[in-house]
Amino acid sequence: MTSFSIGDADFLRDGRPHRVLSGAIHYFRVHPDLWQDRIRKARLMGLNTIETYVAWNAHEPRRGEWDATGWNDLGRFLDLIAAEGMDAIVRPGPYICAEWHNGGLPVWLTGGGRALRSSDPGYLADVSAYLQRVYEIVAPRQIDRGGPVVLVQIENEYGAYGDDKDYLRALVRVTRDAGITVPLTTVDQPTDRMLADGSLPELHKTGSFGSRSAERLATLRRHQPTGPLMCSEFWDGWFDWWGGVHHTTDVHAAAADLDELLAAGASVNVYMFHGGTNFGLTNGANDKGRYLPLVTSYDYDAPLDEAGNPTAKFYAFRDVIAKHAPVPEELPAPPSPSAAFTAPLERTGTWTDAAPAADASWEHPPSFDALGHLSALVRYETELPGSRGGLLLVEDVRDLAWVSVDGSPVGTLSRTRHDRALAIPAGSTLSILVEDQGRVNYDHRLGEEKGLIGAVSLDGVRLTGWRATPLDVAELAAATLPDTGSGPAAWRAEFALDEPGDLFLDTDAWSKGYAFVNGFFLGRYWRNGPTRTLYVPAPVTRAGANELVVLELEHLVSPVAAFVATPSLGATEE
C-alpha cells in the first residue's frame, strides 16, 4: 500500500517529495450523475487531488435520520476520485462555512442556545457521533488501505471563531479513535491571531487566501516552521448575494497569483475548481451588520462554470500548472449552447393558503425551529383586537415577510432593510407570511432561529393568539392545489426535448419564488438579482415530455417559461 506523510519540508508519498495540486468540488452541490465528469476535468487541468467538505445537515437534516445514499453518497464520490487515479482531501467540519446553509450544521443541533464549536459536552457528544459516521466511510478509503484519501482536516477556519483548544483536541481524539491515520490539518486565514487560535501543535497548519501569495506564505511559515507550505483554499473567485453584483476575478491576476504560489514550492487546493449550485433551499447567508442571503448559483467564477464547462480560467490555470508539473495532453470537449425555447405557463392554483392544522394555536408566534420546520415558509395569523388598524411592530423578522389584512396585501418587512414597522389598515385577520431566505453560515450568528422572533405588537399592545402554518414548498409543488382566486399562484408548463441536456431557465420575467423541473427542486429565483437564470442539470431532464412547476410569491410579469442558451449570472463591477 502507498504511504503518505509529512516530512521536514514536503509531503511525502512513499517517502518521496510530493506536491498536492488539488481542486475543490462539493459532491452535495453537483448532481451525482455528473461527479465523474467534473472529477475527470480536474485531472485534465493538471490537478492530482480533489477536496470536498462534508455537509452534516445534508446527511442528517433531522436527528437520527442519517443518509449516505444518492446525493449524499460520499463513499461513491471518493471511489470515483480513486478511479480517476487522483487523491482526495476530506474536510468533515463539523462546521464547513462554504456559503452553505447554517455552515453545514443541522438545525436540530444549533437550536436551544447551546455553545457551538466548543467543548460543551452536549455539543461534543453530537459531533462525535456525526464524525464517527463520516469516518466509517472515510477510514477504509485512506491511501494506506488502498484508497484515495491523503489528508483529513480538523474543523474549519476555527481561528476566526474561537480558541477552545479542548474542543480541537476532542476532535483529534475522535478522529484518531475512528481509525484515521493520514495526516491531519487545519486551515486559517493567514493572520497571527487566527493561525495561533485555530490549531494545535500536532496539526499541520495551512492557509486560506487568494492573493499576495508570498506575503501570506511567509506569515504561515512563522506558525508552521517545518513541513510543506499549503494554501488549502486558494480563492479564485467569490460568491454572490441577492441584490449585489456577480463577483469575478481577473483571469490573468488569478493565474499570476497561482504561479507565485507554486513557484514558492507550495501545495494548493483551488477553491473552487467547480462551484456547482445551491439547489433547493441550501444557500447560506452572511450578516456582518446587514443580512445578505446568497443566490442559488455557486458558479464562483471557477475554472469550471456552474454547468461544468471549462472557462478561460481553466486554461490559464492549466498553463500555470504545466510550468510546475506534468499536465495531460487531452483537453475537455468545448461546450455546446443549451436549447433555447419558450413554453406557456398555466396557472394551477394558489399555494400559500393551506388550512392551519388543528394544533396550530400558539400564544406567541413560534419560530421555524420550534415548529421543526425545514422548508422556506411559515404563515402566521391572528385576529386584530377590535378589528382596528395601526402601527404593526415586529421585534425581529427573519427574514422576509409579506403582510396582509383580510387577504389584501399591505406591504413587506425585510431583515436586509432592517424593517420593523408597518402601518396596517383596519380589518379582522392579520396574516404574515415569513420566508427563511437562508441560514447564516459564518461567524457568531450561526444557528439563529427563523420566523417572527420576539414580540409582535399593534400600537404598542402585544398581539397574542396566533395560528402558525408551515408550508413545505417541495410538497406544494407536487400537490394538486385549490384556486381561491387571490394570493400567490402556482404555475405549470410542459416542454419536450429530443434528448436530456443541460438547460438554463430564464427567470427575468418573474418576481420571487421557487422552480422545479420534473419534481427536482432547482432553487430560488428573485428579480432582486444579480442571477437571472437557474441551472437545470441534464440528468433531471428526459427525452420527450418534461414538466416545469413555478411557485411564485408575488406576480409574473409574463406567464411564459423561457429557456436560454447560456447562463445570465448578472452584472459585474467591471
Side-chain angles (χ1 to χ4, degrees), residues 123-345:
Y123 176 74
L124 273 181
D126 286 328
V127 167
S128 297
Y130 155 70
L131 288 175
Q132 287 162 5
R133 286 183 180 271
V134 173
Y135 293 146
E136 287 174 1
I137 299 169
V138 174
R141 292 175 169 86
Q142 295 176 97
I143 191 168
D144 56 2
R145 302 191 198 180
V149 178
V150 295
L151 296 171
V152 169
Q153 183 178 290
I154 299 296
E155 244 281 350
N156 188 58
E157 291 191 328
Y158 185 62
Y161 184 88
D163 60 358
D164 186 342
K165 302 296 187 178
D166 288 339
Y167 169 53
L168 295 177
R169 280 189 282 268
L171 297 183
V172 172
R173 184 168 57 253
V174 171
T175 301
R176 290 305 191 198
D177 288 350
I180 299 300
T181 55
V182 297
L184 304 182
T185 66
T186 54
V187 63
D188 282 289
Q189 297 168 47
T191 71
D192 290 329
R193 181 186 64 79
M194 291 185 187
L195 285 164
D197 289 350
S199 192
L200 297 170
E202 64 266 34
L203 301 176
H204 192 76
K205 300 178 182 70
T206 70
S208 54
F209 52 88
S211 61
R212 293 154 47 199
S213 295
E215 173 189 339
R216 269 66 185 268
L217 289 174
T219 303
L220 177 60
R221 181 54 89 195
R222 290 201 303 271
H223 292 263
Q224 184 60 58
T226 64
L229 290 170
M230 182 171 183
C231 177
S232 285
E233 291 186 21
F234 178 73
W235 301 326
D236 59 358
W238 207 242
F239 52 87
D240 297 340
W241 52 86
W242 294 114
V245 299
H246 173 48
H247 293 84
T248 60
T249 58
D250 180 80
V251 171
H252 301 294
D257 282 318
L258 178 62
D259 193 20
E260 181 181 21
L261 182 69
L262 297 181
S267 288
V268 68
N269 176 52
V270 174
Y271 189 101
M272 299 290 298
F273 169 71
H274 172 54
T277 308
N278 296 317
F279 291 116
L281 303 171
T282 58
N283 65 282
N286 281 312
D287 191 334
K288 299 178 180 180
R290 185 166 183 250
Y291 173 76
L292 298 171
L294 305 180
V295 303
T296 300
S297 171
Y298 199 64
D299 178 88
Y300 210 83
D301 194 35
L304 282 195
D305 68 15
E306 185 177 9
N309 297 314
T311 66
K313 196 170 287 182
F314 177 97
Y315 297 104
F317 280 16
R318 185 177 183 274
D319 289 345
V320 167
I321 293 169
K323 294 167 61 177
H324 304 275
V327 170
E329 292 185 9
E330 182 184 356
L331 290 171
S336 301
S338 294
F341 58 92
T342 60
L345 283 164

